[in-house]
Amino acid sequence: MRPHPLLVAPLTAAILAALPTIAGASDPPTADGDSVLPKVVVEGTRANIAPARAVDDASLEARAAATSDAASLLEGQPGLWINAAGGVSGLPSIRGLADDRLRIRLDGADITASCPNHMNPALSYVAPSDVARIVVYPGITPVSQGGDSIGGSIVVERSQPSFAAAGEDIVLSGELGTYYRSNGDAHGANASLTIASEHLSLRYTGATARAGNYRAGGEFKDYDFTGREGHTLDRDEVGSTGYVSHNQSLQLAYTNGDHLLEARLGWQQIPRQDYPNQRMDLTDNRQRSTNLRYLGQFGWGRLEARAYRETLDHAMDFGPDKRFWYGAASGGNNPPGGQATPCAPIGPTCAAGMPMLTSSDTTAFMLDADITLQGEDRLRLGLEQRAYRLDDWWPPSGGMMSPGEFWNIRDGERDRTAAYAEWEHHLGPRWTAELGVRYERVRMDAGPVQGYNPASNMMGSWQMRDAALFNAADRARSDGNWDATAILRQSVSDRMDIAYGLARKVRSPGLYEVFPWSTWTMAAVMNNFVGDGNGYVGNLALAPERTLTASVTFDLHAADRRWELQATPYVTSIADYIDAIQWNPDTNAARSVPVRNAFTVLKYVNQDARLHGLDLSGKARLAETGLGVFALQGTLSWMHGENRTTGDGLYNRMPANARLSLTQRLGGWDNALELVAVARKDDVSQVRNELETAGYGLLHLRFSRAWSALRVDFGVENLFDRHYALPTGGAYLGQGTTMSINPPVPNYPRWGTQVPGPGRSLYAAVTLAF
C-alpha cells in the first residue's frame, strides 16, 4: 500500500470546476490513473525548520504506550508542559500560556472546550494510538497556523488515507493494540482496519481506555473521608483521577490524479472522567463530528478546502469521591466529617448533587491556497469562517439549587471570520524571509439569564441582583484583531543556522471569560478552568489580549547532524492580559482587604504582563558498539512571568525544568533511561493564593522491541516511587465537600494541598500490525 499525501473533502461541483481557472489548468492525470504526487515535502520540511518543531515518530510510539492522554505525547518538547486535568484531558502549556491562549487543531479543525471547567479540550478527542503527526509552533507562529491565540499553535493529525498500488487488487490492513499500567489499574485497547483499492480507501479506528484513581508516591493528606457514607480513600490515593473513554472514527477517501476527497466521521463518549483539581466531575461527554476536506495539486500550487461540523452534549456532577447529598435531610450542610447520607424526597431540605449541562454546535469552513512564485518563493492565502453556539444550564436538584433552572450562559455565540496572506521569500542562498499578516473579526453575544430562583436573593446569593444587571447590559461585542509575523532564517554555515522571529498576536476572550454573571460563591466556584479552587466571575468589558513576542533560535550542529544544540531566548509582552482580582459578592466590587490562605472569588480583568525565558534542546550520538548505538538527548527550559500592573506572579507557570535521556538502539530494541528534574516553584500568583511546590527528580525506564509486524513496549515510570507535587497541577479538590468554597472544620477539601503526581507505575503494551 502507498500512502497518498492528499486529504480531501468534497465541497461543491462549482468549486472543483473553477479550480483550473484560478491560475492555469492543472496537469492532467496520467493515462493509467496513477496520481502525480504534489510537492508536499515542502510542508513536511517546513515543520522542522525553527521555530516549528515536529514530534518525531519514535517519541510518539514510545510515549503512546505509557499514556491514555494525547496531550502527554507532547512531553519532552522544550518550553512545553502539560497542566494536569482529567486523565485524558491534559492542557498543553507553551512558555506559560495554555488552554484558549493556544490554537490547537485536530485534523485541521479548531475544537473549543464547551464546559465551565474546560473538561473537554481539543486533544481529549483523539486516542494516543491514533495520532500520526504533531507539529508545535511555540511563540512565533506563522499567520497561516495561528489566529485567535497568543501562545503558539499545536497541529495534530491522524493517519492519512492509504491506497493500493496501481494495478493491485483490494488490500486489507490493520492494527490491534492493548496495554496495562499498574498505577490506577489503567488498561485499554485500540484497533484499526483499512480496506483500500487504487482509488478508494475506507478506514475505521477505535480506542477505549479505563482507569481508577492513581496513587501518589506517599501520603499527602491527613484525612480519608469523601463526603459519601461508607466510602473512604487511602491517604496516598489521589481522589477523582479515574476515567473511562471511548473514541471511534470512520474515514472514507477517494483519489484520482492529483485530487483526493476525504470524509471523516468521529464519535466520542466519555461516560466518566473525574477531576482532582475541580469541584465537579465529568459524568458524560458525547461528541459527533464530520470533517470534510479537499486538497488538490495544480500547476500553480496547492489548494485546500475544509468543512467541519461538531455537536456536543456534556454533563457534570459530583463523582464517586465527592459529596453528593446536601441539605438538612442529608444530615445538615456540614455533618461531622462531611459524611452526608442519602435523603428523600428531593426538595427544600434534600439536594441530589448539582447537575450541570452544556451543549454546543460548531460549523466551520476553511480555504487555503499555497501558490508557487518565481524561484522558490511561495505565497499562502487563506480564508476561515467559524460559528460557535453554546448553552450552559444547571437543572434544579433541590435545596438552594431550586426551584428552576440556573442559566450560566444562554444562547452564547462566538463567531470568527479571518483572512491571511503569507509570503515566503528567498533573499539569497543563505537567507529566507517569511512575512505574514492576518485579520480576524470576532463577534460575541449571549441571551438573558436567570438564577435557580429568579425572584430571590436567597441567603445572600445575589442571583436576582446579578441577573438583572447582566440582562440590562449590552452583551454584544465585536473585535477586529490584526496579527503580523516576521521570521528571518539564516544559514550561517554547514554547522549553524539562526532563525529570528517577531510576532504581534491578538486573542479575544472566550465565552467563559466574558459571560458567567453570578457572584454567588457556590455558582462562581463552578466556573473555573484553571484548577486553582477559586470561583470566577465573567466581565463583559474584557478587551482582547495583545502580545508582542521576539525570539532568536540558534541551531548549532555537526555537518552530518551527529550532534545538535538549539537555544531559543524569547520575550513576550502582553497588553490587556486577562488576569483576575479578588471580588466581594456582597458589595459587588473589588475586595479592599485581600483574602489569604483560603479559596476566594475572583473576577476577570485586563492587566499587563510580561514573560521571558530560555529553551534549550540537544542530542548527540555517543558511540556505536557491539551493544548498539548509544545517544544522549535532552531539554532545559526556564521562564519568568510577571503581572506588570500589580507586580504579582502569573498563575500556573512552570519552574525551571530539564529532561535528559540516554538511549540505546540495537536491532529491533529501542531503550531509554530518562531523568526529569524540576526546580522549586516559589514565584506564584498571590491574588489566587497559589501554592509553592518543592523541587524533585524522577527516573523513568522505557524498553521496546519491534519485529516486522509486532511491537512490545514496557517500562517503569517514577522508578523510585518519588512523592512530589505537580507544579501546575492545581489545588487538590479530589474528595469531600467540594460545593463549599471553604467548608468549616472538620470538612474537607481545604486550601493548602497541591495535586500530587503519580507514584511508581509499571506498564506494558503490545501492538500487532497486519
Side-chain angles (χ1 to χ4, degrees):
M1 298 180 68
R2 56 179 173 85
H4 199 293
L6 300 178
L7 298 177
V8 193
L11 291 181
T12 64
I15 293 179
L16 294 176
L19 294 180
T21 66
I22 296 178
S26 66
D27 295 331
T30 57
D32 61 3
D34 235 351
S35 298
V36 179
L37 300 183
K39 295 180 181 179
V40 294
V41 175
V42 172
E43 283 195 330
T45 302
R46 183 171 174 241
N48 291 303
I49 297 177
R53 288 181 172 271
V55 182
D56 63 86
D57 293 341
S59 294
L60 288 178
E61 290 181 329
R63 295 189 182 278
T67 184
S68 300
D69 183 6
S72 296
L73 300 176
L74 292 157
E75 290 183 345
Q77 297 299 304
L80 194 148
W81 197 262
I82 306 302
N83 294 345
V88 295
S89 299
L91 300 171
S93 174
I94 298 178
R95 297 172 181 171
L97 300 173
D99 206 357
D100 283 350
R101 292 188 169 110
L102 306 180
R103 186 182 188 189
I104 302 177
R105 292 190 295 155
L106 176 59
D107 292 326
D110 294 283
I111 299 175
T112 298
S114 298
C115 168
N117 301 148
H118 283 197
M119 291 182 174
N120 42 28
L123 296 185
S124 66
Y125 293 104
V126 59
S129 59
D130 204 19
V131 173
R133 182 171 180 262
I134 300 178
V135 179
V136 179
Y137 297 87
I140 306 294
T141 306
V143 295
S144 58
Q145 301 294 335
D148 200 36
S149 59
I150 60 174
S153 296
I154 300 173
V155 178
V156 179
E157 296 176 358
R158 294 182 176 95
S159 297
Q160 297 182 353
S162 56
F163 300 89
E168 192 175 6
D169 293 332
I170 299 296
V171 176
L172 177 68
S173 65
E175 183 178 278
L176 297 173
T178 186
Y179 68 87
Y180 178 79
R181 296 191 293 275
S182 62
N183 197 343
D185 190 30
H187 56 281
N190 61 275
S192 67
L193 179 66
T194 300
I195 303 173
S197 68
E198 183 180 345
H199 296 288
L200 282 173
S201 177
L202 178 65
R203 184 172 190 262
Y204 166 83
T205 62
T208 183
R210 183 184 300 266
N213 291 338
Y214 70 75
R215 292 182 179 271
E219 294 185 357
F220 67 96
K221 55 192 174 182
D222 59 3
Y223 59 96
D224 52 18
F225 68 84
T226 65
R228 299 215 179 192
E229 188 177 24
H231 178 47
T232 61
L233 298 180
D234 293 339
R235 297 189 178 185
D236 66 345
E237 183 175 349
V238 184
S240 300
T241 52
Y243 57 84
V244 179
S245 175
H246 311 296
N247 286 284
Q248 299 182 83
S249 70
L250 185 65
Q251 178 191 59
L252 176 63
Y254 170 77
T255 181
N256 188 14
D258 284 340
H259 308 282
L260 189 143
L261 304 172
E262 181 206 27
R264 188 188 297 271
L265 305 178
W267 303 266
Q268 189 213 58
Q269 182 186 11
I270 300 181
R272 173 198 165 195
Q273 185 175 196
D274 303 330
Y275 281 73
N277 60 2
Q278 295 288 356
R279 299 175 183 274
M280 306 294 292
D281 296 307
L282 185 157
T283 55
D284 196 27
N285 194 84
R286 296 171 186 260
Q287 185 217 43
R288 303 292 182 264
S289 64
T290 303
N291 195 331
L292 308 175
R293 191 184 184 201
Y294 167 82
L295 183 62
Q297 191 74 16
F298 300 87
W300 51 267
R302 172 189 58 81
L303 183 69
E304 178 183 11
R306 183 186 302 274
Y308 177 78
R309 174 74 189 281
E310 174 204 74
T311 59
L312 175 73
D313 292 299
H314 174 75
M316 294 191 298
D317 211 325
F318 303 114
D321 297 333
K322 296 170 182 172
R323 179 177 173 179
F324 183 80
W325 297 97
Y326 285 84
S330 71
N333 287 330
N334 293 289
Q339 306 290 8
T341 58
C343 55
I346 304 302
T349 63
C350 179
M354 184 185 172
M356 300 170 64
L357 303 177
T358 306
S359 67
S360 68
D361 190 308
T362 304
T363 304
F365 301 94
M366 289 150 277
L367 191 66
D368 179 86
D370 191 337
I371 303 170
T372 302
L373 302 179
Q374 185 177 5
E376 296 181 320
D377 288 8
R378 310 179 74 85
L379 178 65
R380 302 179 185 94
L381 303 174
L383 298 171
E384 298 178 9
Q385 173 66 49
R386 186 173 187 271
Y388 176 66
R389 301 291 180 267
L390 175 80
D391 282 314
D392 188 317
W393 73 103
W394 310 345
S397 61
M400 296 181 67
M401 288 78 71
S402 62
E405 291 181 326
F406 185 104
W407 278 92
N408 194 37
I409 298 177
R410 190 204 295 259
D411 298 329
E413 301 178 2
R414 194 175 191 273
D415 297 339
R416 290 172 48 206
T417 303
Y420 60 84
E422 191 172 270
W423 179 39
E424 184 177 321
H425 177 52
H426 292 259
L427 301 169
R430 293 187 175 275
W431 291 88
T432 302
E434 188 173 302
L435 307 174
V437 63
R438 180 185 184 103
Y439 177 77
E440 294 222 6
R441 173 64 63 178
V442 181
R443 297 179 176 87
M444 299 173 61
D445 202 355
V449 296
Q450 68 177 43
Y452 285 113
N453 189 339
S456 171
N457 284 319
M458 58 179 180
M459 298 179 66
S461 69
W462 300 114
Q463 293 182 64
M464 184 171 63
R465 178 200 69 185
D466 294 343
L469 290 172
F470 181 88
N471 293 337
D474 182 4
R475 300 180 297 275
R477 57 178 292 159
S478 180
D479 303 326
N481 302 331
W482 286 95
D483 286 4
T485 300
I487 302 173
L488 186 64
R489 301 185 178 96
Q490 177 189 12
S491 177
V492 179
S493 67
D494 61 354
R495 294 177 178 271
M496 177 184 283
D497 299 307
I498 305 177
Y500 311 87
L502 183 65
R504 180 188 191 270
K505 301 292 182 181
V506 183
R507 179 191 78 95
S508 290
L511 295 183
Y512 283 108
E513 291 168 308
V514 174
F515 294 126
W517 53 274
S518 179
T519 64
W520 178 25
T521 299
M522 194 277 289
V525 296
M526 304 302 167
N527 284 282
N528 181 320
F529 50 81
V530 294
D532 63 2
N534 298 306
Y536 284 84
V537 181
N539 186 345
L540 292 170
L542 286 179
E545 296 178 318
R546 295 171 287 115
T547 70
L548 188 64
T549 298
S551 71
V552 181
T553 298
F554 300 92
D555 183 356
L556 307 175
H557 51 265
D560 61 355
R561 290 280 176 178
R562 186 181 182 88
W563 60 267
E564 301 177 10
L565 177 65
Q566 291 87 34
T568 305
Y570 62 87
V571 59
T572 298
S573 179
I574 310 176
D576 289 324
Y577 179 81
I578 298 176
D579 211 322
I581 57 175
Q582 292 192 5
W583 201 253
N584 188 333
D586 293 332
T587 62
N588 202 18
R591 287 190 179 275
S592 56
V593 178
V595 173
R596 295 300 183 207
N597 301 327
F599 297 121
T600 186
V601 173
L602 304 107
K603 184 172 183 175
Y604 293 113
V605 294
N606 288 117
Q607 295 173 330
D608 294 335
R610 186 173 67 187
L611 302 100
H612 61 275
L614 173 68
D615 292 336
L616 294 173
S617 65
K619 61 183 179 179
R621 186 178 299 180
L622 301 178
E624 298 182 32
T625 70
L627 296 177
V629 178
F630 291 85
L632 200 64
Q633 62 185 41
T635 63
L636 186 149
S637 298
W638 171 85
M639 179 201 59
H640 175 72
E642 181 183 3
N643 184 312
R644 302 284 287 177
T645 302
T646 65
D648 197 7
L650 300 182
Y651 178 70
N652 239 10
R653 302 301 173 245
M654 189 65 190
N657 60 92
R659 289 177 183 266
L660 187 64
S661 298
L662 176 64
T663 63
Q664 178 221 13
R665 291 183 173 90
L666 176 64
W669 286 96
D670 191 348
N671 309 318
L673 173 66
E674 182 181 63
L675 172 66
V676 177
V678 178
R680 174 180 175 81
K681 180 177 180 178
D682 51 17
D683 184 11
V684 296
S685 170
Q686 299 291 338
V687 70
R688 289 178 167 86
N689 293 320
E690 183 181 10
L691 294 169
E692 298 183 0
T693 59
Y696 61 89
L698 305 176
L699 196 65
H700 309 311
L701 286 174
R702 299 191 177 98
F703 306 92
S704 71
R705 178 67 168 93
W707 294 268
S708 58
L710 180 67
R711 177 185 171 99
V712 177
D713 291 87
F714 57 97
V716 185
E717 301 280 290
N718 192 358
L719 177 65
F720 296 115
D721 202 24
R722 177 71 185 272
H723 173 57
Y724 64 102
L726 293 168
T728 61
Y732 182 64
L733 301 167
Q735 61 188 96
T737 308
T738 60
M739 185 182 291
S740 300
I741 186 170
N742 291 298
V745 176
N747 291 290
Y748 288 90
R750 294 184 170 281
W751 179 90
T753 302
Q754 189 85 350
V755 174
R760 183 189 299 117
S761 182
L762 283 70
Y763 72 88
V766 179
T767 303
L768 176 66
F770 59 89

